[in-house]
């Protein structure tokens, strides 16, 4: 962003990096609950900060039942493979001076088998009120949706996905 937005430089701080890293942990933890066994999690940021990248890979590897995936990248792609310090999880840096575009960091994980999704179960999610549903429904383009509350958020799950959830 620094190349495109001069104001972004003024917004950068070590406190903001720490805030982003905490936010990313919450996002990954929320995504974990929706991922089935053997599912692939792609973690990606537009940051080159170790705190937002490799440190998060270590957090994912130690706090959640995931295995890091090493991805075969062609040498001519100019992608830099890296590993986190503690868990040696694989990450990939796409530096803007080496690839087309603004660059990014990414890593892939597979959810370990034997781990059950215990947070989302059919019939166990709190339903939304009719008023909340009438507000949310016009924003959805799918049919046969089931609406539930997850904290302050409204979650919409289609009928096909509902059939896949454990009871």
């Amino acid at each position: 962003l620094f190349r495109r937005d001069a104001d972004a430089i003024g917004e950068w701080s070590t406190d903001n990096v720490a805030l982003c890293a905490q936010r990313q942990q919450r996002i990954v933890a929320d995504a974990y609950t929706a991922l089935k066994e053997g599912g692939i999690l792609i973690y990606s940021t537009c940051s080159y900060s170790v705190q937002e990248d490799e440190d998060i890979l270590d957090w994912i590897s130690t706090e959640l039942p995931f295995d890091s995936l090493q991805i075969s990248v062609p040498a001519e792609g100019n992608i830099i493979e890296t590993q986190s310090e503690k868990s040696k999880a694989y990450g990939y840096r796409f530096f803007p001076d080496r690839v087309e575009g603004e660059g990014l960091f990414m890593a892939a994980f597979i959810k370990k088998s034997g781990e059950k999704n215990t947070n989302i179960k059919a019939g166990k999610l709190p339903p939304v009120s009719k008023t909340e549903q009438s507000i949310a429904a016009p924003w959805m383009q799918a049919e046969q949706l089931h609406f539930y509350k997850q904290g302050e958020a409204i979650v919409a799950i289609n009928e096909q996905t509902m059939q896949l959830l454990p009871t």
Side-chain angles (χ1 to χ4, degrees):
L1 289 175
F2 291 168
R3 294 189 314 173
R4 288 191 325 227
D5 183 1
D7 293 336
I9 294 171
E11 293 173 12
W12 187 93
S13 70
T14 55
D15 288 341
N16 199 25
V17 170
L19 179 69
C20 289
Q22 290 170 352
R23 180 182 306 124
Q24 290 152 357
Q25 286 176 343
R26 288 191 308 272
I27 291 168
V28 170
D30 286 345
Y32 163 78
T33 63
L35 196 61
K36 70 178 185 174
E37 296 173 22
I40 305 294
L41 171 76
I42 303 296
Y43 176 76
S44 182
T45 70
C46 62
S47 172
Y48 303 113
S49 161
V50 170
Q51 190 175 359
E52 291 181 73
D53 296 336
E54 285 86 354
D55 288 356
I56 298 293
L57 303 189
D58 280 335
W59 178 84
I60 291 170
S61 297
T62 58
E63 297 297 321
L64 298 168
F66 282 108
D67 285 328
S68 174
L69 294 175
Q70 186 176 18
I71 299 168
S72 176
V73 292
E76 62 272 11
N78 294 317
I79 300 163
I80 307 299
E81 182 180 87
T82 182
Q83 285 186 285
S84 63
E85 184 178 333
K86 295 176 185 169
S87 65
K88 303 302 181 198
Y90 292 96
Y92 301 88
R93 293 187 177 278
F94 297 69
F95 288 115
D97 63 323
R98 303 181 120 228
V99 299
E100 291 184 33
E102 295 299 314
L104 61 105
F105 175 88
M106 65 90 40
F109 290 88
I110 186 166
K111 188 173 181 179
K112 293 180 183 178
S113 61
E115 297 295 329
K116 300 295 183 192
N117 181 338
T118 57
N119 292 335
I120 299 179
K121 293 183 178 181
K124 303 289 183 189
L125 294 170
V128 300
S129 69
K130 290 194 184 298
T131 303
E132 290 170 317
Q133 185 171 336
S134 69
I135 293 169
W139 294 92
M140 304 294 157
Q141 295 183 354
E143 294 182 22
Q144 296 180 322
L145 292 175
H146 300 265
F147 292 91
Y148 299 96
K149 293 280 280 194
Q150 186 174 19
E152 294 297 313
I154 295 175
V155 177
I157 303 174
N158 67 23
E159 184 62 34
Q160 183 179 10
T161 302
M162 285 297 292
Q163 300 303 317
L164 299 173
L165 295 177
T167 54

